[in-house]
């Protein structure tokens, strides 16, 4: 094939009142269509444009450099030398040339588009025929090939409506009135109606009428309310949409993982992704799981505990706090351990009749609270993850140097956290990564408190050239079964990581692997954020990626 033909432009052909096609050329309304070769520029013009562009940037850089030197030496700017005068003349000449060449073309194309639009609107729609040349030519004539050009079909992504599309029936109206009057409790709608979505719709409408506030923007449709009944959420009225991004691949223990992160904080996924890139380029990270045990600590009261000294406990006056630690397989295990501890308490009461059970949990666990006992003894999974980042990766990918990172980690993460009296917070932003992965995979977001306990260490290795970074996280609390892990979206994210459900071959291995992935994600996040701070890029990146383009002042509620 000697030449690839362009699709001929469309021609507008006029008809007279008798239906005869008027000759465009004889009536003088249209010029002949241009050939494809007419659109190309001669080679000399390309070279001229390249020369002028080079001249423009060269003299601009020269003048900026000269003015910077004058400012530094306090030399008046109006005093110019002969090279500076020549540079100014060249700058003005190149600007005039570029404006003349590209500016005229832009105005011409704009005016031609305006003229064409007026030509179309001038005539009646019935007298305009859009005529296309669809005859196959050249290689396109072959029956086995389809070389015709066609406009791409616009594909519309499915949109989840943020408003209620369900209509209320007369029966629904009667139930709403009963809920408003108090004759039907709102919490009993699911059991009375036998339809969880209908119950959510009625409860939602009742709330709007009673509060006088609209819930528009909170989606109702597109969610399986049956899946949360009795285990994830009560008295549902809708669901909140949280975007899920991916960071990776995270090369951890020789395997690659694409980490899902649910967050509304701009820059977070991008930062984690850069950290994953640096880890990958340096050969990957390694992890080790030190402990695996969920805890529950009941509190009882008595004056005789001599026989219980073999049990790890803490005594405060007459109060005894017993801390049980159990392996819970692939489940996070709070309910499992609570049930087991209750059985132990019942057994102990037979031997100690005067023992009063104050509470199944006495906060010595400690659950959903920053506590030294979790920081020291651990809770859930205790993981250490480390990597050696090569010098060239630190410079090219992270845009900083090893010495700056080591110094910043010492002053910020270690000394600064100590000055603040931090408990388990000797890191840059471990909670950011933990929470994002937790929400995406169906974990309890409130357990981010102790799960984010982390100390980040950095030191120069290999004669000070490379960076050794590690994160030690003693209390990562998570599971791959139970709770929110069974919901469709969260289950899909677990499946992406290869840890969906319980492991049949090795019980508990899925949850342990997920814990190491969380630690690896924290390692990537720490590496990237600390580098951004060391390179003074933090504010600029957040201004670029974490700022809404909407005019908040015009949003009404």
């Amino acid at each position: 094939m000697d030449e690839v033909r362009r699709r001929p432009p469309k021609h507008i052909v006029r008809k007279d009142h008798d239906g005869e096609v008027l000759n465009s050329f004889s009536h003088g309304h249209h010029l002949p269509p241009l050939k494809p070769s007419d659109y190309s520029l001669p080679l000399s013009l390309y070279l001229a444009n390249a020369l002028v562009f080079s001249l423009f940037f060269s003299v601009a850089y020269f003048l900026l450099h000269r003015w910077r030197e004058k400012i530094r030496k306090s030399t008046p700017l109006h005093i110019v030398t002969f090279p500076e005068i020549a540079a100014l003349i060249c700058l003005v000449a190149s600007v005039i040339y570029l404006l003349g060449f590209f500016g005229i073309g832009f105005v011409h194309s704009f005016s031609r588009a305006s003229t064409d639009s007026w030509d179309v609107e001038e005539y009646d729609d019935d007298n305009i025929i859009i005529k296309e040349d669809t005859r196959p030519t050249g290689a396109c004539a072959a029956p086995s090939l389809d070389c015709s050009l066609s406009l791409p079909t616009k594909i519309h992504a499915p949109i989840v409506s943020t408003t209620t599309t369900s209509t209320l029936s007369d029966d629904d109206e009667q139930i709403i009135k009963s809920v408003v009057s108090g004759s039907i409790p709102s919490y009993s709608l699911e059991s009375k109606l036998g339809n969880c979505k209908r119950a959510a719709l009625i409860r939602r409408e009742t709330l709007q009428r009673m509060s006088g506030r609209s819930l528009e923007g909170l989606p109702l449709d597109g969610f399986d309310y049956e899946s949360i009944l009795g285990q994830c959420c009560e008295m549902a009225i809708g669901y909140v949409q949280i975007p899920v991004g991916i960071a990776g691949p995270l090369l951890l223990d020789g395997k690659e993982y694409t980490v899902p992160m649910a967050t509304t904080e701009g820059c977070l996924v991008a930062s984690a992704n850069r950290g994953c890139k640096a880890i990958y380029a340096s050969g990957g990270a390694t992890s080790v799981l030190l402990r695996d045990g969920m805890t529950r600590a009941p509190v009882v009261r008595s004056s005789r505990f001599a026989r219980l000294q073999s049990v790890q406990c803490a005594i405060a006056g007459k109060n005894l706090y017993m801390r049980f630690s159990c392996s819970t397989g692939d489940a996070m295990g709070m309910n499992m351990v609570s049930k087991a501890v209750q059985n132990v308490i019942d057994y102990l009461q037979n031997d100690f009749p005067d023992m009063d059970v104050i509470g199944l949990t006495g906060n010595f666990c400690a659950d959903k609270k920053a506590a030294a006992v979790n920081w020291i003894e651990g809770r859930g999974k205790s993981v250490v993850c480390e990597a050696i980042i090569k010098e060239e990766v630190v410079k090219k990918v992270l845009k900083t140097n090893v010495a700056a990172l080591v110094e910043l980690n010492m002053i910020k993460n270690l000394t600064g956290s100590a000055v603040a009296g931090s408990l388990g917070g000797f890191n840059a932003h471990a909670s950011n990564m933990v929470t994002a992965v937790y929400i995406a995979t169906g974990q309890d977001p409130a357990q981010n408190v102790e799960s984010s306990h982390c100390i980040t260490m950095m030191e120069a290795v290999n004669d000070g050239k490379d960076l050794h970074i590690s994160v030690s996280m003693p209390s990562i609390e998570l599971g791959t079964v139970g709770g929110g892990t069974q919901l469709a979206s969260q289950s899909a994210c677990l499946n992406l990581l290869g840890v969906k459900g319980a492991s049949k071959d090795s019980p508990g291995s899925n949850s342990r692997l997920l814990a190491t992935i969380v630690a690896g994600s924290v390692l990537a996040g720490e590496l990237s954020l600390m580098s951004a701070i060391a390179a003074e890029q933090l504010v600029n990146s957040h201004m670029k990626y974490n700022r809404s383009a909407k005019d908040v002042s015009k949003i009404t509620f």
Side-chain angles (χ1 to χ4, degrees):
M1 180 170 58
D2 297 334
E3 180 181 359
V4 177
R5 294 187 57 190
R6 298 186 182 181
R7 184 179 183 178
K10 298 178 180 180
H11 306 287
I12 299 177
V13 183
R14 296 177 55 206
K15 280 185 176 183
D16 59 13
H17 296 289
D18 297 329
E20 296 295 329
V21 178
L22 298 178
N23 189 297
S24 299
F25 304 111
S26 61
H27 286 74
H29 290 292
H30 296 280
L31 294 175
L34 294 175
K35 299 177 181 179
S37 59
D38 294 334
Y39 291 96
S40 60
L41 295 176
L43 179 62
S44 59
L45 192 55
Y46 279 116
L47 295 176
N49 289 343
L51 179 62
V52 173
F53 268 114
S54 302
L55 179 64
F56 172 80
F57 288 112
S58 299
V59 297
Y61 175 80
F62 172 78
L63 290 173
L64 289 175
H65 180 72
R66 293 290 297 171
W67 289 339
R68 181 182 178 185
E69 290 295 326
K70 288 184 178 182
I71 294 173
R72 183 177 299 174
K73 297 179 180 180
S74 300
T75 304
L77 296 179
H78 64 273
I79 300 177
V80 293
T81 61
F82 178 80
E84 292 173 350
I85 295 175
L88 285 171
I89 294 174
C90 292
L91 181 65
V92 173
S94 60
V95 170
I96 293 174
Y97 175 88
L98 294 174
L99 286 177
F101 183 83
F102 293 100
I104 292 175
F106 173 78
V107 173
H108 176 68
S109 63
F110 181 79
S111 62
R112 182 173 58 186
S114 301
T115 305
D116 292 342
S117 63
W118 279 107
D119 287 342
V120 174
E121 295 175 1
E122 182 179 357
Y123 307 110
D124 187 84
D125 292 339
D126 296 334
N127 294 329
I128 296 178
I129 299 177
I130 305 299
K131 186 177 181 180
E132 297 185 28
D133 184 5
T134 58
R135 293 172 297 175
T137 58
C140 294
S144 60
L145 296 176
D146 182 13
C147 300
S148 60
L149 298 176
S150 60
L151 293 176
T153 304
K154 186 175 182 180
I155 301 176
H156 297 277
I159 299 176
V160 178
S161 175
T162 58
T163 58
T164 304
T165 59
S166 304
T167 57
L168 296 172
S169 63
D170 293 338
D171 291 340
D172 293 339
E173 290 290 347
Q174 291 297 326
I175 297 174
I176 290 174
K177 293 179 181 179
S178 299
V179 175
V180 172
S181 64
S183 58
I184 297 181
S186 179
Y187 62 82
S188 65
L189 288 174
E190 282 79 4
S191 60
K192 288 184 177 296
L193 299 176
N195 187 320
C196 293
K197 182 180 179 181
R198 184 185 175 196
L201 171 64
I202 292 175
R203 183 180 295 114
R204 175 194 186 101
E205 184 62 27
T206 302
L207 178 60
Q208 291 184 117
R209 295 183 186 184
M210 295 180 66
S211 64
R213 295 184 179 274
S214 173
L215 289 175
E216 183 179 1
L218 181 67
L220 175 69
D221 298 324
F223 187 80
D224 182 11
Y225 292 92
E226 305 289 341
S227 65
I228 64 173
L229 181 62
Q231 53 189 351
C232 289
C233 182
E234 298 77 34
M235 299 183 67
I237 60 171
Y239 60 97
V240 174
Q241 296 169 306
I242 301 179
V244 178
I246 56 170
L250 171 64
L251 183 56
L252 178 65
D253 297 326
K255 295 183 179 180
E256 296 181 9
Y257 301 96
T258 301
V259 184
M261 301 174 63
T263 181
T264 55
E265 179 183 351
C267 264
L268 182 60
V269 178
S271 178
N273 196 62
R274 184 175 74 152
C276 290
K277 179 180 179 181
I279 293 173
Y280 195 102
S282 299
T286 57
S287 65
V288 58
L289 191 138
L290 303 178
R291 287 186 295 266
D292 181 6
M294 181 51 62
T295 63
R296 177 59 86 192
V299 54
V300 297
R301 179 175 297 168
S302 177
S303 59
R304 299 189 299 122
F305 289 113
R307 299 181 183 179
L308 296 177
Q309 289 301 315
S310 61
V311 177
Q312 184 179 1
C313 61
I315 299 177
K318 292 184 177 182
N319 301 322
L320 174 67
Y321 299 84
M322 297 176 288
R323 194 169 189 262
F324 294 86
S325 178
C326 308
S327 176
T328 57
D330 284 310
M332 186 270 290
M334 283 297 299
N335 293 335
M336 189 185 305
V337 175
S338 297
K339 183 178 179 180
V341 170
Q342 182 64 60
N343 292 333
V344 172
I345 293 298
D346 294 340
Y347 176 82
L348 289 177
Q349 280 188 309
N350 294 328
D351 289 344
F352 302 92
D354 61 338
M355 183 180 72
D356 296 327
V357 179
I358 306 302
L360 184 62
T361 172
N363 274 6
F364 188 44
C365 310
D367 184 40
K368 299 180 177 71
K369 287 165 282 293
V373 66
N374 292 336
W375 178 244
I376 298 172
E377 299 292 339
R379 188 170 193 255
K381 277 71 173 173
S382 301
V383 181
V384 176
C385 188
E386 63 179 353
I388 295 179
I389 310 301
K390 299 177 181 178
E391 180 184 23
E392 57 267 25
V393 175
V394 174
K395 292 181 178 179
K396 295 181 179 179
V397 178
L398 302 176
K399 312 299 182 182
T400 184
N401 59 79
V402 173
L405 283 173
V406 173
E407 182 182 23
L408 177 63
N409 186 72
M410 176 64 68
I411 296 175
K412 170 184 166 61
N413 287 344
L414 303 183
T415 307
S417 298
V419 170
S422 179
L423 180 60
F426 296 87
N427 57 80
H429 70 150
S431 61
N432 258 338
M433 314 302 298
V434 172
T435 303
V437 178
Y438 269 29
I439 295 176
T441 57
Q443 312 303 318
D444 186 349
Q447 289 184 321
N448 159 73
V449 176
E450 61 267 39
S451 297
S452 297
H453 281 349
C454 171
I455 182 169
T456 301
M457 302 292 292
M458 295 185 186
E459 63 175 308
V461 295
N462 299 332
D463 296 328
K465 295 182 179 180
D466 301 331
L467 174 72
H468 178 273
I469 177 174
S470 66
V471 292
S472 301
M473 306 180 68
S475 50
I476 301 178
E477 302 166 6
L478 47 70
T480 58
V481 296
T485 62
Q486 65 173 0
L487 299 179
S489 301
Q490 290 81 343
S491 179
C493 291
L494 289 171
N495 187 59
L496 176 65
L497 294 171
V499 294
K500 178 182 177 181
S503 173
K504 297 180 180 179
D505 299 330
S506 177
S509 60
N510 279 355
S511 62
R512 290 191 289 270
L513 177 57
L514 181 58
T516 61
I517 293 174
V518 169
S521 302
V522 171
L523 183 73
E526 292 290 285
L527 183 61
S528 183
L529 178 59
M530 292 294 287
S531 300
I533 297 174
E536 299 182 355
Q537 297 174 340
L538 179 63
V539 174
N540 291 335
S541 60
H542 272 267
M543 292 297 291
K544 181 178 180 180
Y545 294 106
N546 201 17
R547 301 280 291 188
S548 174
K550 295 182 178 179
D551 187 354
V552 182
S553 63
K554 295 182 180 179
I555 299 178
T556 58
F557 297 92

